Amino acid sequence: NLKESIRHDDRPVFLENVLDDPEEWATWEDLDYCIHNTGIFDVRYFNKTESKYEDVSVLKIASDQTNEIHKQTTGHYHDRINPIRVIDAPTLLKRNHSIIVTNFEHQCEKAAEMIKFLCELFYYDVENHGVWPARISENSGHAHLYAGYKDSNSFSPHVDGPANFIFQIQGENEFTVYENKKCALTEVHMDARASLEYRKEVYDNLRPIETRVMKPGDMVYVPSRQYHYVTPVTDRLSLSFPLILKGPTSVML
């Protein structure tokens, strides 16, 4: 039904009670297992601290053993993927940072099945451009587990290159989608060098379409390059399935 409803009108769509058993998809115990096994799982955290206007970097978390050895280091980072070696993931959660496991399908068989299902459902052969999803990377073709405590810091208002299927697993999120879309002829992400004044101007002039409090089992479909913003209302777990079509309008992603 979702596929038919967006075929000629690609827009954000909220759906309630899509998952009958959301608690079977991900638990806090699953998250704990992932953050203690970073040799298998890609685990990262948001460095944002308070303002929604901040630039957000997603930094990789090293294993507990590495963190313990380097706990007293100064913790300077030179790019977005350098491991943090100062404090461990549970401490980051307590300090209101959000955690992402970007390949959670290795822990959850249901998530792996969902990826396969979405690929089959939206399979599309674009002549001379390959088939969907033609690009598998950390941003496409995986299950992303998002975790954070109540009022934890998430992304600023932003767009994603992939289309996103986002499921609420535990707790509640306030989810806002905006009318604004990022031009396909420009970069997806806000320039990290952009001033605070410029960010305020952009974010404060976004035009909201709808805000929903997402509950366990709910889903939202967010088209490629559509602005959206998430605020955790309670401790929360969410699953995102971002997927990219390498076709004429997205070959540059």
Side-chain angles (χ1 to χ4, degrees), residues 26-247:
T27 65
W28 290 95
E29 289 74 20
D30 288 325
L31 176 68
D32 187 65
Y33 181 80
C34 293
I35 63 180
H36 285 87
N37 291 275
T38 52
I40 303 172
F41 299 98
D42 186 272
V43 186
R44 307 187 180 211
Y45 84 105
F46 301 159
N47 73 337
K48 192 173 73 167
T49 57
E50 48 188 39
S51 168
K52 79 174 185 178
Y53 303 109
E54 290 180 65
D55 175 48
V56 180
S57 292
V58 183
L59 302 174
K60 194 166 183 177
I61 298 175
S63 67
D64 284 357
Q65 293 81 4
T66 307
N67 282 334
E68 188 63 35
I69 293 170
H70 296 278
K71 250 178 190 178
Q72 303 306 315
T73 63
T74 57
H76 294 296
Y77 314 112
H78 303 289
D79 56 48
R80 292 174 178 261
I81 62 172
N82 278 354
I84 176 172
R85 295 192 173 96
V86 182
I87 49 181
D88 57 14
T91 303
L92 287 167
L93 285 169
K94 292 175 183 176
R95 295 188 179 183
N96 278 346
H97 293 285
S98 292
I99 302 289
I100 314 175
V101 182
T102 65
N103 55 350
F104 187 68
E105 71 275 7
H106 296 319
Q107 176 68 5
C108 176
E109 184 177 346
K110 285 179 176 287
E113 292 173 353
M114 176 63 80
I115 293 170
K116 181 180 178 181
F117 170 74
L118 290 172
C119 288
E120 292 175 349
L121 180 65
F122 288 95
Y123 174 92
Y124 185 52
D125 189 347
V126 184
E127 186 177 1
N128 299 323
H129 289 278
V131 296
W132 185 96
R135 180 170 180 180
I136 302 296
S137 70
E138 66 184 49
N139 297 315
S140 176
H142 293 285
H144 293 188
L145 175 66
Y146 288 80
Y149 293 157
K150 179 182 178 181
D151 299 323
S152 59
N153 293 299
S154 187
F155 283 114
S156 300
H158 69 287
V159 305
D160 296 312
N164 248 310
F165 303 83
I166 304 171
F167 295 83
Q168 192 69 19
I169 303 300
Q170 290 192 30
E172 297 180 357
N173 276 332
E174 184 179 86
F175 202 107
T176 300
V177 291
Y178 298 92
E179 175 185 339
N180 309 67
K181 295 190 75 169
K182 203 79 173 285
C183 175
L185 298 177
T186 64
E187 294 294 331
V188 174
H189 300 295
M190 175 76 74
D191 190 331
R193 297 166 295 180
S195 67
L196 180 62
E197 290 74 18
Y198 178 74
R199 292 173 187 278
K200 284 179 63 67
E201 180 183 0
V202 171
Y203 297 155
D204 289 348
N205 283 284
L206 295 175
R207 301 180 297 277
I209 298 175
E210 187 173 2
T211 297
R212 290 270 192 105
V213 174
M214 294 184 62
K215 301 180 183 299
D218 292 352
M219 191 204 90
V220 59
Y221 163 72
V222 183
S224 171
R225 295 176 176 265
Q226 191 97 36
Y227 269 99
H228 56 284
Y229 183 51
V230 182
T231 304
V233 178
T234 68
D235 295 356
R236 60 97 175 212
L237 294 175
S238 305
L239 270 177
S240 171
F241 296 88
L243 294 154
I244 292 175
L245 165 62
K246 188 178 177 182

